[in-house]
Amino acid sequence: MPVHLVVTRSQGQPQTVEIPVSAWFTGEKRATVRIPREPAIKTIEIDPKREFPDVDRGNGVWPR
């Protein structure tokens, strides 16, 4: 499955980032996403539309 991320900047503008499903075809379990640090990052959220089952939705947002 692809991974959807929303990066929210300190100025409030959201940026959508997607890790494509092809990233997992070789059996990888991790992927690296490079996001410019400016403007400052406020939060990063995994699966913001809640499309995938998740037992603990509280651990999908990282405040900065």
Side-chain angles (χ1 to χ4, degrees), residues 3 28-29 31 34-35 37 43 45 49 52 55-56 61:
V3 176
E28 293 295 323
K29 295 182 180 184
R34 299 208 181 267
I35 301 169
R37 59 172 83 183
T43 62
E45 183 174 3
K49 294 182 181 178
F52 301 106
V55 176
D56 182 3
V61 177

Side-chain angles (χ1 to χ4, degrees), residues 1 7 11 16-17 19 24-25 30 35 38 41 43-46 51 53 55-56 58 60 62-63:
M1 299 299 292
V7 179
Q11 299 170 343
T16 302
V17 178
I19 301 171
W24 318 118
F25 287 165
R30 295 178 184 220
I35 301 169
E38 295 299 327
I41 297 171
T43 62
I44 299 174
E45 183 174 3
I46 295 177
E51 297 173 322
V55 176
D56 182 3
W62 289 271

